[in-house]
Amino acid sequence: MAKLNFVTVFLATLAALGVQAVPMIEKRQSITTLTSSQVAVFKPFSWFAATAYCDPSVTKTWTCGTNCNANSDFIPVASGGDGSSIQFWYVGYSPSQSTVVVAHQGTDTSQIEALATDAEIVRGSLDSTLFPGIDSSVGVHDGFRDEQAKTATQVLAAVKSAISAHGATKVTVVGHSLGAAIALLDGIYLPLHITGVTFKTIAYGMPRVGNQEFADYVDAHISLTHINNKDDIVPIVPGRFLDFAHVPGEIHILNDLSWIFCPGQDNEDANCTIGYVPNIFSGDTDDHSGPYDGVKMGCS
Ligand SMILES: *[C@@H]1O[C@H](CO)[C@@H](O)[C@H](O)[C@H]1NC(C)=O
């Protein structure tokens, strides 16, 4: 497949979502500030990501609190997980966004921090049955890989039935924290098994998931936006000194609440996460759960 220019994909994504007057981004590494209408595009997906924290038995009825009820026309198709050994997940169809939605629950800051800063982190190849054709040099955090594998085939079956039940042409995968890492892996996995629809991943507070080869694979194949809030430290772990690399598609929310688009992988601009949060001691763990344009991650 031809290498996609991320900026093109990002702009095309916004355009597809009906956002006009997207500024031209000339230089790959130059940052831009999103307009309020560009920021607003993400809000329904922030609600979807937050709703993944709700118990699926409640999510089934889609009357589960402010974040969940906000996407009131959503039609749930399947859900699972137990909120402890398996993160909650759900799949359904959003008529107002005309997309199938896949959402994965995250964890609290201390748990994700422990996972992503574990001195024993092992990176491994992706399972060749789940991820056929992906080179073994593509290495991912084994903890994140194993979490995605737990629900992969159930999620795939649910996405297929949601597509056929609603004649969908788009699939959007969302998640926060650990759920963001799972969403990114789902965003790679699902297109390897489903053709004829377009895929997009929108992740919140996502840690680094894999090595340079992984970031390059994502750069070339996946339409991704990952949104980092203020001084959250999760997006800067595991560290680059451990040979982890960040995938492209960063949006960084500053303390003044502006949303900055940071093109490329691991953009070092002072207003992108790495420049803004140079080490875990300068971060603020409270920023991990948001708010992302007013949406706090959690079932509320
Ligand atoms: C970062 O963003 C702030 C607020 O939007 C702006 O005032 C500042 O000039 C930016 N800094 C850099 C280095 O771009």
Side-chain angles (χ1 to χ4, degrees):
M1 181 191 273
K3 188 170 164 69
L4 299 172
N5 175 314
F6 173 71
V7 173
T8 312
V9 173
F10 176 75
L11 296 177
T13 304
L14 289 178
L17 290 164
V19 175
Q20 305 302 325
V22 172
M24 279 310 296
I25 297 166
E26 308 282 354
K27 241 175 62 207
R28 186 170 165 79
Q29 295 302 320
S30 62
I31 65 166
T32 46
T33 304
L34 273 66
T35 63
S36 53
S37 60
Q38 289 172 330
V39 171
V41 164
F42 292 98
K43 199 151 192 170
F45 298 99
S46 309
W47 283 320
F48 280 128
T51 301
Y53 280 87
C54 303
D55 187 320
S57 61
V58 181
T59 316
K60 242 178 245 166
T61 62
W62 212 251
T63 50
C64 29
T66 316
N67 287 335
C68 167
N69 296 346
N71 289 305
S72 57
D73 63 344
F74 188 68
I75 305 162
V77 169
S79 56
D82 57 19
S84 57
S85 65
I86 301 175
Q87 305 305 111
F88 291 143
W89 60 271
Y90 69 82
V91 171
Y93 183 70
S94 168
S96 50
Q97 300 296 326
S98 58
T99 181
V100 169
V101 174
V102 181
H104 287 279
Q105 180 196 17
T107 56
D108 61 29
T109 316
S110 59
Q111 277 192 49
I112 185 69
E113 209 186 330
L115 255 178
T117 59
D118 186 347
E120 311 278 291
I121 288 176
V122 177
R123 225 179 12 236
S125 303
L126 290 162
D127 179 276
S128 62
T129 307
L130 293 179
F131 295 87
I134 296 199
D135 197 86
S136 60
S137 65
V138 170
V140 298
H141 184 296
D142 66 345
F144 302 154
R145 179 192 62 188
D146 297 349
E147 289 302 319
Q148 190 269 344
K150 285 179 187 170
T151 61
T153 53
Q154 282 175 286
V155 167
L156 175 61
V159 170
K160 282 180 175 169
S161 61
I163 290 171
S164 67
H166 299 283
T169 57
K170 294 192 284 179
V171 175
T172 309
V173 192
V174 302
H176 166 249
S177 186
L178 173 57
I182 300 172
L184 174 56
L185 292 171
D186 263 3
I188 297 170
Y189 161 72
L190 294 169
L192 297 173
H193 302 274
I194 299 173
T195 53
V197 296
T198 56
F199 291 89
K200 187 167 48 126
T201 299
I202 301 175
Y204 299 82
M206 184 169 70
R208 291 193 183 90
V209 173
N211 61 5
Q212 185 61 55
E213 287 81 357
F214 175 79
D216 290 343
Y217 183 90
V218 170
D219 215 337
H221 295 91
I222 304 299
S223 169
L224 168 73
T225 302
H226 59 111
I227 304 172
N228 300 330
N229 188 44
K230 301 177 185 170
D231 298 313
D232 183 9
I233 62 152
V234 173
I236 67 163
V237 294
R240 289 195 284 178
F241 63 93
L242 293 171
D243 289 330
F244 277 81
H246 237 317
V247 290
E250 177 187 358
I251 289 174
H252 182 228
I253 305 172
L254 306 186
N255 280 296
D256 72 4
L257 298 183
S258 22
W259 285 44
I260 308 290
F261 173 56
C262 302
Q265 303 171 359
D266 274 313
N267 193 315
E268 292 175 351
D269 186 280
N271 272 342
C272 299
T273 289
I274 302 180
Y276 210 72
V277 191
N279 58 66
I280 57 172
F281 308 105
S282 61
D284 183 348
T285 52
D286 289 343
D287 288 337
H288 185 52
S289 61
Y292 299 84
D293 189 22
V295 181
K296 194 102 173 155
M297 291 297 156
C299 186
S300 62

